[in-house]
Amino acid sequence: MTPGPRQRLIDSAIAMMRERGVHGTGLADLLKRSGTARNSIYQHFPEGKGELIAEAEREASAQANAFLGALRERGDTEYVLAKFIKWWTNQLQTHDFDTGCPHAAAALAGPGEEQIRAAAHDAFLGMRTQLEGSLRDSGLVDGADGVASLIVSAIEGALLQARAARSVQPLREVERELVALIRARRQ
């Protein structure tokens, strides 16, 4: 079944945020990419672009948390990290390093775009919660919240470096160091 105009707008907004950031995601390009009519934006998102981007960020967050949750069910934190970083490595290479994290894009939304930044904050908290649970499941109880925060920050930073360098090496380095940290904290 083909998604309706609302979902096409959300899906297009997620893709464009990953490619261009929030400010580079213009309404005209969103309409063209989604194949929707101009009135669809205001019909489904009466507050306009800000509401659409915030909803796209919430959807991207739900997708990321579902992915992390599925990985958690299959293995320990090292497994989760390996698969999550492999997914990002594949995304960067497949898209010629022209894609990034929608959460980072939303976090960088400008003044007056509080609902977008709030959605990014919630997205990061959701990732941290998933990773903290994985760490606890893997036996790292003390400081699991801080390590989860570090993992999110390290991966987000590595993604930015990888895009800038057009190389997945920063992600590989972060994975190696995070695994070493987790192993050391478990002992």
Side-chain angles (χ1 to χ4, degrees):
M1 182 174 189
T2 303
R6 183 180 192 283
Q7 190 61 48
R8 288 195 318 267
L9 283 165
I10 290 170
D11 293 343
S12 295
I14 292 169
M16 291 179 71
M17 284 169 44
R18 290 180 64 194
E19 295 164 3
R20 303 175 183 187
V22 170
H23 292 290
T25 300
L27 290 180
D29 289 337
L30 253 172
L31 292 169
K32 183 177 180 180
R33 186 172 191 149
S34 66
T36 58
R38 180 169 283 283
N39 69 346
S40 293
I41 288 179
Y42 298 102
Q43 177 184 359
H44 297 288
F45 306 98
E47 296 173 33
K49 179 184 168 184
E51 182 182 8
L52 168 57
I53 296 296
E55 183 59 28
E57 172 59 359
R58 286 188 285 275
E59 173 120 352
S61 176
Q63 292 170 5
N65 287 323
F67 181 55
L68 288 170
L71 292 176
R72 262 182 80 187
E73 291 176 7
R74 294 188 199 121
D76 64 5
T77 305
E78 289 179 38
Y79 175 86
V80 172
L81 278 175
K83 293 299 184 182
F84 191 53
I85 288 174
K86 182 178 181 180
W87 185 85
W88 271 115
T89 297
N90 183 53
Q91 288 294 302
L92 289 169
Q93 290 173 330
T94 300
H95 296 278
D96 196 29
F97 295 89
D98 286 335
T99 192
C101 180
H103 310 330
L108 295 171
E113 296 176 321
E114 295 307 318
Q115 66 179 328
I116 298 170
R117 292 198 316 224
H121 173 71
D122 291 344
F124 288 131
L125 286 179
M127 290 174 63
R128 287 173 55 178
T129 299
Q130 285 287 347
L131 291 164
E132 181 180 351
S134 178
L135 289 161
R136 290 183 188 283
D137 295 346
S138 297
L140 194 153
V141 178
D142 282 346
D145 55 341
V147 175
S149 179
L150 176 66
I151 291 170
V152 171
S153 296
I155 291 173
E156 289 295 331
L159 284 169
L160 293 172
Q161 289 184 64
R163 282 190 76 183
R166 302 184 62 76
S167 167
V168 295
Q169 190 61 33
L171 284 167
R172 290 190 177 119
E173 292 167 354
V174 159
E175 180 181 7
R176 182 182 65 243
E177 295 303 321
L178 289 173
V179 167
L181 172 70
I182 290 165
R183 287 179 181 166
R185 293 288 299 259
R186 266 197 241 139
Q187 296 177 355

